[in-house]
């Protein structure tokens, strides 16, 4: 299937599935993945199995898994869900959610800067990165405290 129609939140969710971030089996997540994300992840799961089999035949064993449990959270956050609502709609603790989302942000940052990725995918990755990299996850943001402009130093 053509991947060029992916929205930024969908690309973020799909990349998040490749991080092997597992949530507790009994955890409640009150979000659902979009149909398009599930279609792409189904295709990727088949490829991951084929890759794992090929590696096994060659005596290699690098993880090539698609993990769906955190995908709805990533998709919701990248679509603009607020932090408080995200916390309220899952039984996961904030630290687990933070780690999952930060790892996805770092992967998006890498995809957005790789020279071999198509310009279209690069642009969607940049849009997803902008959508996800916000409080409380944003770089250089600590507990909602606004950074103050450094005042001009007085001459001694």
């Amino acid at each position: 299937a053509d991947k060029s129609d992916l929205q930024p939140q969908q690309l973020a969710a799909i990349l998040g599935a490749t991080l092997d971030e597992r949530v507790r089996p009994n955890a409640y997540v009150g979000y659902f993945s979009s149909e398009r994300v599930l279609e792409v992840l189904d295709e990727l799961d088949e490829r991951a199995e084929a890759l794992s089999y090929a590696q096994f035949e060659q005596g290699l064993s690098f993880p090539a898994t698609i993990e769906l449990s955190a995908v709805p959270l990533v998709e919701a956050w990248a679509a603009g869900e607020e932090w408080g609502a995200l916390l309220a709609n899952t039984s996961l603790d904030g630290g687990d959610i933070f780690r999952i989302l930060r790892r996805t942000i770092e992967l998006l940052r890498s995809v957005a800067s790789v020279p071999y990725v198509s310009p279209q995918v690069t642009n969607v990755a940049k849009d997803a990165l902008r959508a996800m990299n916000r409080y409380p996850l944003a770089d250089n943001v600590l507990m909602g405290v606004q950074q103050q402009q450094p005042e001009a130093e007085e001459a001694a």
Side-chain angles (χ1 to χ4, degrees):
D2 182 21
K3 310 298 182 291
S4 63
D5 62 338
L6 291 175
Q7 299 297 311
Q9 68 271 17
Q10 294 171 329
L11 178 62
I14 291 163
L15 290 176
T18 68
L19 294 172
D20 199 28
E21 282 285 350
R22 298 172 194 274
V23 300
R24 293 185 317 274
N26 60 346
Y28 169 75
V29 176
Y31 298 98
F32 300 94
S33 300
S34 65
E35 194 63 38
R36 184 72 181 111
V37 166
L38 293 175
E39 289 171 7
V40 173
L41 290 176
D42 191 45
E43 289 177 29
L44 289 178
D45 193 46
E46 291 174 18
R47 292 181 186 191
E49 286 180 26
L51 178 60
S52 293
Y53 180 74
Q55 288 182 26
F56 176 76
E57 285 187 321
Q58 299 299 316
L60 303 172
S61 61
F62 297 104
T65 58
I66 301 298
E67 176 55 46
L68 301 177
S69 56
V71 169
L73 289 170
V74 174
E75 190 170 2
W77 179 255
E81 184 68 279
E82 294 298 321
W83 184 251
L86 206 65
L87 291 176
N89 283 303
T90 181
S91 61
L92 297 173
D93 70 32
D96 289 338
I97 298 168
F98 187 92
R99 184 190 70 251
I100 291 165
L101 297 178
R102 281 297 301 175
R103 288 193 65 206
T104 304
I105 286 170
E106 293 308 315
L107 183 54
L108 279 165
R109 184 172 282 123
S110 296
V111 169
S113 64
V114 172
Y116 307 109
V117 175
S118 76
Q120 186 171 1
V121 171
T122 298
N123 289 335
V124 174
K126 286 178 181 177
D127 289 345
L129 181 58
R130 278 191 291 277
M132 289 189 70
N133 198 24
R134 56 191 164 92
Y135 178 80
L137 300 165
D139 295 333
N140 301 320
V141 175
L142 179 63
M143 301 299 289
V145 176
Q146 297 293 326
Q147 289 190 340
Q148 296 183 5
Q149 296 295 328
E151 296 181 24
E153 298 199 18
E154 296 178 24

